[in-house]
């Protein structure tokens, strides 16, 4: 092989550039000094000519000439001044700095913290960031791909040409980086990756992208560097008190894409429509919080967001990131908190995503017995890898810190905790001690909750955990450190009870009482969630037995029982208007139903229950403590009647709650109470305002000096059919 002419690139290097396979572009491109002076090389396929100008005054420094390999321009320059390339393209001329004239970008501390899993502002380091380097504006790209042989950034700015912008590997961190001068926000991009052995992978979206193209497009987008100017200081200062275990927390669970849908031809971002319509609705009904099904970018809308690939990007389906920030700010101005469903358990296998990202199992476990969910056809994050733990925690903090989100509900925690989750005996690998617990996931969850508690005062983290794992809401090191846990057992038991015809409920009485055996073992949220109104389960109203009147009465009685029961509250959208059909994520809620007084009555009841729950300390202050609850009647199977007392802190008036779960009115029903005097009826789900028969206790009853149920006094009540009534002791 003949040697290259002085200053000319060796043929193998040149051909590797031309084939988008050169492993170290910085070694051959950009400025290079030698005995004969400085030579500059640029690979610009399709360019007609390239001239080098001094950056300071645009004085010509030399001209680069195209060699035997098309697109490779080389030539000497007169001095080593910072320079520009004047590139003549077909039909256009461009002046720009040379990406290969800039030195390493990320600091050693960034690389070290990332490899330790402790770079908690990861989106400021990796991904695409609009920055200024040496006085030059542009975009710094950085991506973790330690096992790749070559990585290039491709996008609309380089015609998606993998030859144009190969990146620099920062060894041993495994991060590839490149600064593209003069590029700005809005550019679409991906990463072109050559894996081990020269295998070219499908173009990959950026794992740390802060914005993405609207689906079904899959490219990442360079996000604007301008952050939202927040006006929620008062809310943030009071958030810890508003979200404590002693606070009234009533959550409206929403799939934002089907709560409301833009009218035909309406181009307003969905977040702006939600600001206009959803926030007043929440305030009118008295909900303290809204919880959104996952809004992180996800390729398949039918997953409802539970198979995300963009853990740092609000989905482009709903509008740009700044409109989401505007929505959050408006929520806080209305004194409403925001919880997001967040999915660190698994991710989909889409080829443009995290799956085998650099040709290896980088984000996921390699062995399918650890790394693949058969139920969901998804990969499981490798929680034992520091960089993956750090990636996930940084995602959580991104929502909490950048967007002022008030809490995260961690999805599918049970699937993370157990190595044998939904697996036959031969399809899982025990931990190092031979057990079924995923010790790495346990460590991750404890780490996550500790970091959130330290960095985000007042924010909460909620576990959707469906087993009896001990100490989910207990602090580390013994517990997992969550703020609250969904009470899935209560949900399943009570829904099973309410679906039975009333004549059969005597045989299922324990379904309503069993939850009190463990009600104070954790800090619980009582959820009636989206999972209960899909996949043929019917709507909440659709679960209710009997004729039309009984179905509505059953629903009202059940909601009254739920709001009086210990635990915070969560109700999925549509249940508050007694939607007849089960939820369809492709259709808006059936708002015309509110023209029917029965449906409007349920909505009015939910609003009144929220206000009652927030206004009565005894209904919320001791939600997580046994002293806040006392059974009075838990064994009247024959009549399907339940009665209990709710108590608050010292000085609060106790509240008597009575549920009659049959359509038979009961008169003169004696119940023991701890105090003499007047007991005022503060709630009755059989009220005519809600569509009931208006049977009740004429607003109040007076206690008798006749002990009953272990109490010093008693009251004689009229129990309306299929109804919950509440009475408060008055001085």
């Amino acid at each position: 092989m003949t040697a290259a002419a002085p200053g000319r690139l060796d043929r193998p290097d040149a051909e590797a550039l031309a084939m988008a396979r050169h492993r170290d572009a910085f070694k051959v491109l950009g400025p290079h000094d030698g005995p004969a002076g400085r030579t500059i090389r640029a690979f610009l396929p399709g360019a007609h000519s390239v001239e080098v100008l001094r950056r300071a005054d645009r004085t010509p420094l030399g001209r680069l000439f195209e060699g035997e390999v098309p697109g490779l321009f080389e030539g000497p320059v007169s001095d080593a001044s910072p320079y520009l390339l004047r590139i003549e393209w077909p039909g256009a001329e461009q002046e720009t700095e040379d990406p290969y004239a800039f030195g390493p970008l990320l600091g050693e501390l960034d690389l070290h913290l990332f490899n330790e899993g402790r770079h908690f502002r990861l989106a400021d380091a990796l991904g695409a960031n609009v920055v200024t380097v040496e006085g030059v504006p542009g975009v710094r790209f950085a991506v973790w791909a330690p096992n790749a042989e070559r990585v290039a950034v491709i996008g609309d700015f380089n015609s998606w040409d993998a030859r144009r912008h190969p990146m620099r590997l920062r060894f041993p961190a495994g991060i590839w980086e490149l600064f593209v001068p003069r590029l700005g926000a809005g550019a679409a991009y991906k990463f072109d990756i050559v894996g081990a052995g020269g295998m070219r992978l499908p173009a990959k979206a950026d794992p740390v992208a802060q914005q993405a193209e609207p689906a079904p497009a899959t490219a990442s987008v360079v996000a604007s560097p301008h952050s939202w100017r927040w006006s929620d200081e008062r809310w943030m200062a009071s958030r810890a008190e508003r979200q404590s275990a002693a606070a009234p927390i009533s959550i409206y669970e929403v799939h934002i894409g089907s709560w409301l849908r833009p009218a035909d031809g309406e181009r307003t971002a969905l977040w702006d429509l939600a600001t206009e319509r959803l926030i007043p609705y929440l305030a009118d009904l008295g909900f303290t919080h809204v919880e959104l099904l996952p809004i992180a970018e996800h390729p398949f809308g039918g997953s409802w967001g539970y198979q995300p690939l963009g853990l740092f990007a609000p989905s482009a389906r709903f509008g740009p990131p700044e409109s989401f920030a505007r929505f959050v700010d408006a929520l806080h101005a209305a004194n409403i908190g925001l919880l997001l469903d967040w999915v660190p358990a698994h991710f989909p296998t889409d080829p443009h995503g995290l799956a085998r990202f650099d040709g290896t199992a980088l984000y996921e476990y390699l062995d399918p017995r650890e790394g693949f969910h058969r139920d969901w056809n998804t990969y499981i994050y490798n929680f034992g890898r520091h960089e993956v733990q750090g990636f996930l925690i940084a995602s959580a903090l991104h929502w909490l810190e950048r967007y002022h989100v008030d809490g995260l509900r961690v999805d599918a925690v049970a699937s993370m905790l157990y190595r044998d989750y939904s697996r036959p005996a031969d399809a899982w690998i025990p931990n190092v001690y031979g057990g079924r617990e995923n010790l790495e996931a346990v460590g991750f969850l404890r780490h996550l909750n500790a970091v959130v508690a330290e960095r985000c005062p007042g924010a909460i983290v909620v576990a959707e955990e469906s087993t009896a794992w001990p100490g989910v809401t207990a602090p580390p090191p013994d517990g997992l450190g969550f703020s609250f846990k969904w009470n899935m057992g209560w949900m399943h038991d009570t829904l099973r009870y309410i679906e039975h015809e009333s004549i059969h409920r005597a045989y299922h009485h324990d379904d309503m009482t069993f939850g009190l055996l463990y009600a104070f073992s954790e800090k619980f949220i009582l959820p009636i969630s989206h999972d209960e109104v899909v996949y043929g389960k019917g709507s909440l109203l659709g679960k209710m037995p009997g004729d039309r009147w009984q179905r509505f009465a059953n629903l009202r009685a059940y909601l009254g029982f739920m709001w009086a029961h210990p635990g915070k509250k969560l109700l999925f959208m549509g249940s508050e208007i007694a939607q007849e059909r089960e939820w369809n994520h492709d259709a808006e809620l059936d708002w015309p139903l509110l023209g029917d007084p029965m449906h409007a009555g349920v909505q009015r009841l939910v609003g009144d229950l929220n206000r009652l729950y927030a206004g009565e300390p005894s209904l919320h202050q001791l939600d997580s403590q046994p002293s806040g609850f006392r059974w009075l009647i838990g064994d009247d199977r024959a009549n399907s009647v339940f009665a209990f007392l709710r108590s608050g802190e010292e000085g609060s008036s106790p509240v008597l709650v009575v549920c009659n779960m049959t359509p038979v009115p009961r008169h003169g029903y004696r119940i023991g109470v701890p105090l003499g005097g007047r007991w005022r009826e503060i709630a009755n789900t059989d009220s005519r305002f809600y569509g009931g028969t208006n049977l009740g206790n004429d607003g109040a009853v007076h206690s008798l000096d006749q002990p009953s149920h272990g109490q010093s006094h008693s009251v004689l009540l009229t129990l309306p059919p299929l109804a919950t009534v509440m009475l408060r002791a008055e001085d």
Side-chain angles (χ1 to χ4, degrees):
M1 178 181 294
T2 58
R8 305 297 289 181
L9 190 61
D10 291 341
R11 182 83 184 191
D13 279 325
E15 290 180 346
L17 286 172
M19 296 174 65
R21 292 191 175 276
H22 201 289
R23 299 188 183 189
D24 188 359
F26 278 85
K27 183 178 179 181
V28 295
L29 296 181
H32 294 274
D33 295 319
R38 169 163 288 195
T39 296
I40 293 176
R41 298 191 194 96
F43 193 76
L44 301 166
H48 288 335
S49 65
V50 182
E51 187 178 7
V52 182
L53 311 177
R54 182 180 289 117
R55 190 192 303 170
D57 57 10
R58 284 179 165 70
T59 300
L61 299 177
R63 182 173 291 275
L64 309 186
F65 297 94
E66 191 170 18
E68 295 180 10
V69 174
L72 180 61
F73 291 82
E74 307 173 87
V77 291
S78 57
D79 64 42
S81 301
Y83 62 91
L84 297 170
L85 299 178
R86 177 181 287 164
I87 309 166
E88 183 183 349
W89 300 100
E93 186 176 86
Q94 175 190 17
E95 287 187 4
T96 182
E97 289 77 8
D98 183 357
Y100 300 95
F102 294 89
L105 304 169
L106 293 175
E108 292 299 327
L109 181 60
D110 284 317
L111 303 179
H112 172 74
L113 289 175
F114 172 74
N115 286 141
E116 281 204 338
R118 299 191 63 84
H119 201 309
F120 297 138
R121 296 189 67 87
L122 194 59
D124 292 342
L126 300 192
N129 283 276
V130 177
V131 296
T132 298
V133 178
E134 299 176 13
V136 179
V139 175
R140 184 191 66 220
F141 295 95
V143 64
W144 181 50
N147 303 302
E149 291 188 355
R150 179 188 184 273
V151 179
V153 60
I154 55 176
D156 51 12
F157 52 92
N158 63 14
S159 302
W160 302 94
D161 189 339
R163 301 171 295 174
R164 286 280 307 279
H165 287 103
M167 305 173 78
R168 171 195 282 121
L169 173 62
R170 300 295 301 277
F171 184 83
I175 291 175
W176 299 75
E177 62 178 16
L178 185 71
F179 176 64
V180 179
R182 306 295 168 180
L183 193 61
Y189 70 99
K190 283 185 176 181
F191 295 111
D192 177 82
I193 300 176
V194 177
M199 177 181 64
R200 175 158 267 114
L201 304 174
K204 294 288 189 178
D206 182 0
V208 192
Q210 298 180 57
Q211 192 171 345
E213 289 186 308
T218 57
S220 304
V221 173
V222 178
S224 169
H226 304 296
S227 59
W228 176 253
R229 297 184 64 177
W230 295 92
S231 60
D232 61 351
E233 294 83 2
R234 287 183 56 189
W235 168 271
M236 298 297 281
S238 64
R239 184 171 69 175
E241 182 180 353
R242 293 172 183 267
Q243 301 194 143
S244 73
I249 297 178
S250 179
I251 305 163
Y252 186 61
E253 188 187 29
V254 170
H255 177 260
I256 193 65
S258 57
W259 189 84
L260 75 170
R261 300 176 75 86
D264 290 342
E266 193 170 16
R267 304 183 68 86
T268 306
L270 196 54
W271 294 123
D272 294 330
L273 288 176
T275 300
E276 176 187 331
R277 302 177 197 175
L278 175 58
I279 294 177
Y281 185 80
L282 294 166
D284 186 57
L285 287 185
F287 283 100
T288 66
H289 289 72
V290 60
E291 179 174 322
L292 299 179
L293 272 60
I295 63 164
E297 194 57 75
H298 50 282
F300 176 47
S303 75
W304 316 329
Y306 288 101
Q307 294 193 9
L309 280 177
L311 265 61
F312 293 77
S315 177
R317 292 170 175 83
F318 312 134
E322 57 269 22
S323 66
F324 173 61
R326 187 162 53 243
F327 170 70
V328 179
D329 210 20
L331 277 172
H332 291 168
N335 293 315
I336 297 168
L338 173 62
L339 309 179
L340 291 186
D341 280 10
W342 180 66
V343 188
H346 60 129
F347 60 88
T349 60
D350 298 64
H352 72 277
L354 300 178
R356 302 300 193 263
F357 187 78
D358 64 357
T360 68
L362 189 61
Y363 287 88
E364 66 271 35
Y365 291 104
L366 174 61
D367 193 316
R369 294 174 295 174
E370 295 178 289
F372 189 75
H373 270 308
R374 296 183 177 185
D375 291 354
W376 304 317
N377 291 320
T378 53
Y379 285 123
I380 300 169
Y381 285 105
N382 184 346
F383 302 111
R385 191 167 222 159
H386 293 161
E387 295 92 343
V388 174
Q389 278 207 24
F391 167 79
L392 292 171
I393 293 174
S395 164
L397 293 174
H398 186 74
W399 298 103
L400 297 170
E401 294 179 339
R402 180 178 177 87
Y403 291 109
H404 288 206
V405 168
D406 301 296
L408 303 173
R409 192 218 68 160
V410 182
D411 182 63
V413 171
S415 76
M416 300 167 68
L417 292 175
Y418 299 98
R419 287 175 163 265
D420 63 345
Y421 180 86
S422 193
R423 294 177 184 273
D426 61 347
W428 62 282
I429 300 175
N431 62 34
V432 292
Y433 302 108
R436 57 197 285 255
E437 300 82 7
N438 189 328
L439 303 178
E440 295 87 356
V442 171
F444 160 70
L445 293 170
R446 287 173 174 160
H447 189 196
L448 165 72
N449 288 320
V451 171
V452 170
E454 177 184 347
R455 293 178 60 107
C456 307
I460 59 175
V461 187
V462 179
E464 189 230 1
E465 202 285 307
S466 55
T467 74
W469 185 282
V472 171
T473 58
D478 297 324
L480 296 181
F482 284 95
S483 310
F484 295 97
K485 172 183 172 176
W486 273 21
N487 194 335
M488 312 286 279
W490 174 90
M491 177 181 70
H492 293 139
D493 290 349
T494 59
L495 286 178
R496 184 170 59 241
Y497 175 89
I498 206 71
E499 289 177 19
H500 287 293
E501 294 281 352
S502 57
I503 195 171
H504 299 138
R505 288 176 179 169
Y507 306 103
H508 304 278
H509 200 76
D510 294 343
D511 281 342
M512 294 287 271
T513 61
F514 182 71
L516 272 304
L517 295 178
Y518 59 86
F520 310 106
S521 61
E522 304 278 7
K523 298 181 182 71
F524 279 122
I525 292 173
L526 308 181
I528 300 298
S529 75
H530 63 278
D531 277 329
E532 304 313 305
V533 294
V534 288
Y535 297 140
K537 297 177 183 177
S539 67
L540 192 56
L541 179 67
K543 300 177 190 298
M544 304 298 155
D547 59 25
R548 187 172 192 267
W549 183 89
Q550 289 189 18
R551 291 170 61 223
F552 277 90
N554 265 304
L555 176 57
R556 296 192 303 266
Y558 180 69
L559 291 172
F561 171 77
M562 173 180 173
W563 256 254
H565 193 285
K568 311 309 176 187
K569 324 301 175 191
L570 179 142
L571 189 68
F572 184 59
M573 65 180 202
S575 297
E576 84 284 3
I577 64 172
Q579 183 148 309
E580 297 274 2
R581 63 176 175 85
E582 74 175 27
W583 172 52
N584 175 6
H585 70 272
D586 284 327
E588 192 171 275
L589 293 182
D590 295 333
W591 297 113
L593 290 174
L594 290 174
D596 183 320
M598 296 295 279
H599 291 276
V602 173
Q603 185 192 54
R604 188 176 298 115
L605 171 65
V606 170
D608 287 350
L609 287 173
N610 276 332
R611 286 180 280 273
L612 181 68
Y613 170 63
E616 291 291 336
S618 291
L619 290 179
H620 64 255
Q621 283 182 339
L622 302 179
D623 262 338
S624 303
Q625 301 181 38
S627 58
F629 178 89
R630 186 187 316 166
W631 274 119
L632 296 174
I633 300 173
D635 57 356
D636 189 356
R637 295 173 178 271
N639 294 312
S640 295
V641 171
F642 307 86
F644 51 87
L645 279 174
R646 294 298 312 277
S647 303
E649 295 172 356
E650 188 173 350
S652 301
S653 298
V655 173
L656 170 65
V657 182
V658 188
C659 305
N660 176 17
M661 292 301 185
T662 69
V664 180
R666 306 196 184 280
H667 300 276
Y669 194 96
R670 184 180 299 277
I671 302 176
V673 292
L675 299 173
R678 188 171 183 263
W679 286 74
R680 187 165 73 89
E681 190 173 80
I682 57 175
N684 181 348
T685 66
D686 192 49
S687 165
R688 63 183 176 87
F689 294 107
Y690 310 136
T693 67
N694 216 36
L695 188 65
N697 295 279
D698 296 326
V701 296
H702 288 269
S703 67
L704 306 173
D705 289 334
Q706 183 172 341
S708 185
H709 304 112
Q711 307 299 309
S712 58
H713 297 73
S714 60
V715 292
L716 293 177
L717 297 180
T718 295
L719 306 185
L722 290 173
T724 295
V725 296
M726 303 184 211
L727 301 97
R728 182 184 62 214
E730 294 190 337
D731 297 333

